[in-house]
Amino acid sequence: MNREQAQKRIAGLRREIERHNFLYYTLDAPEISDAEYDRLYRELAKLERQFPDLVTPDSPTQKVGGPIARELAAVRHEFPMYSLDNAFSFDELREFDARVHRFLKLDAAEPLAYHIEPKLDGLAVSLKYEDGLFALGATRGDGLEGEDVTENLRTVKPLPLRLTRAVSLTVRGEVFFTEQDFARVNDQRTEAGEPLFANARNAAAGSLRQLDTSVTASRPLRVYLYTLEEPERHGVETQARAMEKLRELHLPTAPLSALCRGIAEVLAYLESDFAAAREELAFSTDGAVVKLNEFALWEKLGFTAKSPRFAIAYKYAAEEAVTTLNGVTFQLSRTGTLTPVAQLAPVEIGGVTVKRATLHNLDEIERLGVAIGDKVRVIRAGEVIPKVEGVAERGEKRRDILAELPTHCESCGTELARRDDPPNLACPNRECPEVVAQQVAFFAARGAMRIEGLGEKIARRLVQGGLLKDIADIYSLREHEQQLVALEGFAEISVQNLFAEIEGSKRRPFARVLFALGIPQVGAQTARMLTEHFADIDEMLAATPEQFAEIYGIGEIVAREIHDFLHDERSRARIKRLRKAGLQFASGAEEHAQGFFSGMKVCVTGRIEPFTRDEWKEIIEASDGFFVSSVSKSTDLLLAGEEAGSKLAKAQKLGVDVMDADRLRKALQVEELPVAGELAERWREFITE
Ligand code: IVH
């Protein structure tokens, strides 16, 4: 290819990639698979390597980052960044509406148009584009002056470095993590023995304000924009139109917004549609922002010292309770770190009885200033692990937690060591039975190798019984059948079931195997990216850190972790044994069997045309799910069709996720189910109906 041809192809590839970014991150409707996306990206990267002078700073390949500065420079905001007043009840929202009417001297009965948006829980940023190119990004700071995070923001995947048109504008929005990504980031930090982020907002702030932007690049940050500054310059008169305009430019905006006429409609929307949809959002919101739609009214209303008069944040009450801290235990993880866990007097928070809460690490204990015997505030947000938030009232007899730290591992008796960053206790014994048991349980977990019947408890017993010393021993358990049966409480039948499960796990695709190995920083998604990129484990074992970093979405730090793990003697020995046992270490046809129902226990009730119950069973199992015939606490999903019976009521009572045909269709748009033949044909018809 000559230079001219390359130039053309590069421009085309960039446009393609930018479009797919927008489809993926903003519309949540990708048109191509991750693998296809990867191919486009690699082709672009390769061409740019061949013609380095054609690399421009706005290329999607320029999102990898590197060291930038000793400290972040200060940036004065052109327009101050205000915060929002809060309303905690519908009464307060009605008051807000009344206030607006009074201020505007409007008849109280005149309905005003409001634009409702989710309140994003992250870090506010201000972005400047010049002639369509991303030019400057700053944090909110104190509202008048923030920090220059331009280079960090450059690495944020959903943020376009170039708009669809060469306009100059300032936009504002929020950088955040989705709940799932936040959990993954903290999982990785546990793996790496790094301090856990206390919440998603801290994680976003910590990830963005990095002096080495390759760290930012390694974190799956998201961004949604919600303010267009100086809208009049762009001929835009309402907030609803401004959001449309941003989307036209391919700037990401939050899903789930609505335009309501009058405060009564606002309240009805918040109570029903928004409340229901909020649960489904990938990111967490602690409420909604209610904004007047007309910018002309914004002008008239203006700002108080701190916040605009034309908007208000409606916040759902945080779920919190006060209870006594009875003690602290230390939970050994599969990396050997001991996490402090608060043992609480049982208390109900948001309908769930909470007895334990995380204290994260030793620093957190010091920061909170908690002691045993104190009354503590405990919060629980959605599915997140409950955590101790602070001291509500000091106890009369207080026992200092840090002064009474354990000195030896409860499991193996080894003297405990300290890990810095965060300060935590750790068991340094690589053969510690509890550490091995945790590794085995992780390996066998649903999202990993899915060996039912090899949970934490059983894993612990097998390790203590001397039957497992390493993950790889799982596949030679058969040789110890007599010993197993002799273990107390192990009936012949459960032993046979366990063997069958272990045998079945050998069919799990390469990506699962890789994830199950517990490579630091490698979650299920990263594992999948790796197996899409490398044909088999041999290619991976031969790869350099640079080759791992070539994969879109894998930064230098993660690349180095993967490389080091694969070059560790123990890992090598383990991989060799697992391979000999017959596990999948190559991406084959099996790879695609990872479907929508993967790892889930799914129950079906009522009629869901056009499939019979048996066909549903086939579909669920083909995509690596479990078909179960009754609903219990451990059921992950109930597919409910017409004439659904008592199972539906039971699922609702137990809080099991329920999908009807419509929701299923919507959710499945992005998934291919691996069913063959006629069933596949009908399946395609079903989801495109
Ligand atoms: S508009 C003029 N819209 O909430 C005020 N803010 O508590 C501009 N936030 O600093 C804010 N979601 O960081 C706006 N849809 C949304 C928002 C939002 C989250 C944040 C923002 C702001 C804070 C105020």
Side-chain angles (χ1 to χ4, degrees):
M1 198 181 282
N2 66 31
R3 193 171 179 287
E4 205 171 313
Q5 287 165 325
Q7 192 158 19
K8 249 184 142 164
R9 180 70 188 144
I10 285 175
L13 282 167
R14 286 180 187 162
R15 263 199 307 278
E16 267 293 85
I17 291 171
E18 281 156 6
R19 192 173 70 88
H20 289 301
N21 273 344
F22 182 71
L23 286 167
Y24 182 85
Y25 288 112
T26 303
L27 302 185
D28 199 14
E31 283 176 1
I32 58 174
S33 70
D34 291 0
E36 285 169 292
Y37 182 94
D38 244 21
R39 264 196 293 284
L40 294 175
Y41 185 86
R42 280 205 301 273
E43 188 188 341
L44 176 61
K46 194 171 158 205
L47 280 175
E48 288 183 345
R49 268 200 304 277
Q50 277 170 3
F51 300 94
D53 60 315
L54 295 180
V55 180
T56 56
D58 62 315
S59 172
T61 57
Q62 301 306 297
K63 284 183 168 275
V64 288
I68 41 169
R70 300 273 283 284
E71 64 177 0
L72 300 173
V75 178
R76 188 109 198 133
H77 296 303
E78 215 172 303
F79 321 96
M81 288 180 80
Y82 289 92
S83 64
L84 290 167
D85 276 344
N86 293 316
F88 292 100
S89 65
F90 280 8
D91 273 346
E92 288 179 31
L93 278 179
R94 285 194 200 92
E95 259 170 50
F96 162 73
D97 178 63
R99 217 162 41 236
V100 170
H101 276 89
R102 276 199 305 277
F103 204 95
L104 294 171
K105 302 202 167 56
L106 288 175
D107 183 346
E110 176 113 23
L112 289 165
Y114 288 106
H115 193 260
I116 326 274
E117 307 160 9
K119 175 137 170 41
L120 307 163
D121 193 13
L123 184 72
V125 290
S126 183
L127 315 172
K128 223 169 149 163
Y129 282 85
E130 279 164 11
D131 298 323
L133 294 182
F134 176 58
L136 179 72
T139 61
R140 177 174 182 275
D142 63 4
L144 299 173
E145 195 176 278
E147 285 171 322
D148 185 340
V149 284
T150 311
E151 293 310 314
N152 301 75
L153 280 164
R154 267 185 191 291
T155 70
V156 173
K157 307 269 146 48
L159 192 77
L161 297 175
R162 188 176 50 179
L163 303 178
T164 53
R165 275 188 287 124
V167 284
S168 298
L169 47 76
T170 299
V171 284
R172 280 160 181 189
E174 204 92 349
V175 171
F176 63 96
F177 282 113
T178 65
E179 277 176 35
Q180 205 183 359
D181 286 339
F182 169 60
R184 247 179 62 207
V185 167
N186 257 355
D187 280 353
Q188 290 173 350
R189 291 175 77 81
T190 308
E191 286 298 321
E194 288 167 350
L196 294 191
F197 289 118
N199 55 50
R201 183 162 13 91
N202 288 355
S207 302
L208 193 64
R209 300 175 57 250
Q210 288 284 336
L211 297 176
D212 180 342
T213 62
S214 70
V215 178
T216 313
S218 76
R219 308 259 170 87
L221 285 168
R222 300 289 182 111
V223 63
Y224 282 144
L225 288 322
Y226 46 65
T227 304
L228 169 65
E229 293 293 345
E230 300 184 290
E232 66 286 353
R233 277 200 8 210
H234 307 281
V236 171
E237 289 174 357
T238 63
Q239 173 70 359
R241 178 69 195 110
M243 293 302 98
E244 251 174 56
K245 176 103 190 166
L246 298 191
R247 282 189 291 274
E248 282 163 23
L249 293 168
H250 280 184
L251 283 165
T253 61
L256 193 70
S257 64
L259 197 55
C260 294
R261 248 176 78 80
I263 194 72
E265 216 173 89
V266 170
L267 302 184
Y269 171 73
L270 287 176
E271 197 168 47
S272 57
D273 294 18
F274 185 82
R278 177 171 103 100
E279 303 292 317
E280 311 272 307
L281 293 176
F283 54 91
S284 72
T285 55
D286 49 359
V289 183
V290 177
K291 299 175 181 173
L292 275 172
N293 192 39
E294 303 281 338
F295 290 141
L297 301 180
W298 290 28
E299 283 290 316
K300 286 190 190 158
L301 286 158
F303 298 82
T304 67
K306 193 176 127 282
S307 44
R309 290 197 188 86
F310 49 81
I312 195 157
Y314 170 68
K315 284 216 184 151
Y316 291 92
E319 299 186 294
E320 182 178 301
V322 172
T323 187
T324 310
L325 178 62
N326 287 335
V328 174
T329 55
F330 288 84
Q331 199 176 326
L332 198 48
S333 75
R334 66 183 201 276
T335 57
T337 306
L338 287 151
T339 306
V341 179
Q343 302 296 323
L344 306 165
V347 64
E348 202 183 286
I349 314 180
V352 177
T353 305
V354 173
K355 294 183 212 155
R356 276 177 290 274
T358 178
L359 282 162
H360 295 295
N361 56 58
L362 301 181
D363 251 9
E364 178 77 354
I365 295 175
E366 189 163 345
R367 189 183 73 79
L368 294 169
V370 286
I372 296 164
D374 284 349
K375 290 234 184 292
V376 290
R377 283 186 295 119
V378 181
I379 59 164
R380 186 184 149 265
E383 293 302 298
V384 183
I385 320 165
K387 59 175 227 165
V388 176
E389 186 71 357
V391 178
E393 194 188 318
R394 289 174 153 240
E396 279 175 24
K397 280 203 216 100
R398 307 181 82 220
R399 270 171 46 211
D400 186 347
I401 302 165
L402 297 175
E404 293 182 14
L405 293 178
T407 55
H408 291 79
C409 175
E410 251 183 51
S411 170
C412 67
T414 307
E415 192 173 343
L416 294 177
R418 285 277 189 147
R419 274 195 193 148
D420 288 339
D421 200 22
N424 253 339
L425 296 169
C427 175
N429 177 10
R430 296 245 252 172
E431 279 152 31
C432 171
E434 181 60 20
V435 172
V436 175
Q438 292 290 338
Q439 288 172 348
V440 169
F442 175 80
F443 182 83
R446 284 250 183 104
M449 298 300 277
R450 207 186 77 210
I451 305 175
E452 295 282 318
L454 192 51
E456 199 176 304
K457 273 195 199 135
I458 302 288
R460 199 172 285 135
R461 299 243 323 264
L462 295 180
V463 172
Q464 281 165 356
L467 291 164
L468 292 180
K469 290 198 175 62
D470 186 276
I471 290 170
D473 296 335
I474 295 171
Y475 295 92
S476 43
L477 271 179
R478 240 182 218 288
E479 294 159 24
H480 307 283
E481 186 169 346
Q482 290 319 311
Q483 274 167 277
L484 252 175
V485 178
L487 276 187
E488 209 188 279
F490 247 106
E492 174 69 30
I493 175 121
S494 51
V495 170
Q496 293 313 322
N497 283 345
L498 182 60
F499 287 161
E501 282 286 334
I502 291 172
E503 204 46 42
S505 75
K506 294 181 181 172
R507 293 196 304 268
R508 304 280 175 267
F510 185 24
R512 290 258 194 146
V513 177
L514 210 52
F515 169 60
L517 286 176
I519 305 174
Q521 314 271 8
V522 176
Q525 176 71 26
T526 307
R528 218 168 299 142
M529 296 194 306
L530 286 167
T531 57
E532 275 169 6
H533 191 91
F534 296 100
D536 57 29
I537 191 80
D538 290 321
E539 281 191 7
M540 287 183 65
L541 290 169
T544 61
E546 290 72 30
Q547 283 168 318
F548 289 114
E550 257 179 36
I551 301 175
Y552 183 77
I554 294 185
E556 276 168 39
I557 293 169
V558 179
R560 161 83 37 211
E561 289 276 12
I562 299 169
H563 178 266
D564 290 355
F565 179 91
L566 292 175
H567 287 262
D568 176 75
E569 230 171 273
R570 270 167 187 266
S571 324
R572 290 227 165 196
R574 182 178 291 167
I575 290 168
K576 200 166 160 192
R577 286 184 62 202
L578 291 174
R579 215 173 170 181
K580 222 168 137 203
L583 270 60
Q584 308 291 324
F585 278 98
S587 335
E590 275 268 11
E591 207 64 19
H592 302 289
Q594 278 222 29
F596 182 76
F597 301 112
S598 170
M600 292 164 93
K601 277 193 179 171
V602 187
C603 184
V604 178
T605 185
R607 264 184 306 114
I608 314 179
E609 307 276 23
F611 303 108
T612 64
R613 194 180 157 75
D614 282 344
E615 284 169 340
W616 275 114
K617 183 165 186 280
E618 195 180 331
I619 291 167
I620 290 161
E621 286 174 350
S623 69
D624 224 4
F626 268 126
F627 180 86
V628 294
S629 51
S630 64
V631 174
S632 74
K633 260 200 333 230
S634 72
T635 309
D636 295 297
L637 178 66
L638 176 70
L639 300 182
E642 281 163 47
E643 287 157 44
S646 60
K647 281 181 194 157
L648 179 58
K650 188 161 179 201
Q652 281 162 343
K653 193 166 141 231
L654 293 173
V656 169
D657 204 8
V658 178
M659 281 195 180
D660 58 13
D662 271 350
R663 248 192 82 196
L664 189 62
R665 235 173 244 130
K666 261 192 213 142
L668 282 166
Q669 283 305 311
V670 294
E671 300 281 344
E672 281 276 332
L673 282 206
V675 279
E678 192 211 315
L679 202 55
E681 276 305 305
R682 278 164 50 214
W683 179 257
R684 263 187 290 280
E685 278 165 29
F686 172 71
I687 62 167
T688 50
E689 186 177 286

